[in-house]
Amino acid sequence: MALTNADVAKLADLARIQLTDEELASMASQLDVILDAVASVSEVAKADVAPTSHALDLTNVFREDVVKPSLPIQEVLAMAPAVEDDRFRVPRILGEES
């Protein structure tokens, strides 16, 4: 598909881009290459080939959600640099008020 300078000028106008005559000629040939590449992809895509997002099937590996005992709160908080109301105390950020 050969684009003319008028075709590129119309596209540039729609995109609100000002192009010189030299830029129009250059863009016409560059856009031809892009359109040919897109056309070659559509030739490969046949009706019997389902569209995919990945070449191979992806499978998530999930583990069972099992409740297990964790560390006692007091032991965890004993390792914290600062504690307040049985929680980790962290510096305020973004000038928040409380």
Side-chain angles (χ1 to χ4, degrees):
M1 172 180 201
L3 288 177
T4 65
N5 286 5
D7 294 330
V8 177
K10 174 71 174 169
L11 289 172
D13 185 49
L14 291 171
R16 294 184 171 94
I17 300 172
Q18 291 182 335
L19 297 175
T20 64
D21 290 338
E22 295 81 26
E23 291 171 325
L24 287 173
S26 173
M27 291 294 250
S29 64
Q30 292 176 18
L31 288 172
D32 273 337
V33 171
I34 293 170
L35 291 175
D36 287 342
V38 172
S40 69
V41 170
S42 61
E43 289 173 8
V44 173
K46 300 294 180 192
D48 61 336
V49 178
T52 60
S53 60
H54 294 80
L56 302 173
D57 289 335
L58 299 178
T59 305
N60 285 331
V61 179
F62 294 105
R63 63 173 171 80
E64 290 296 318
D65 194 10
V66 179
V67 177
K68 296 181 181 179
S70 61
L71 294 173
I73 292 174
Q74 294 308 319
E75 187 177 334
V76 173
L77 292 177
M79 295 183 263
V83 176
E84 182 180 297
D85 297 329
D86 287 335
R87 296 186 192 117
F88 294 108
R89 180 175 169 81
V90 295
R92 295 193 190 282
I93 59 170
L94 303 176
E96 294 177 346
E97 299 288 329
S98 67

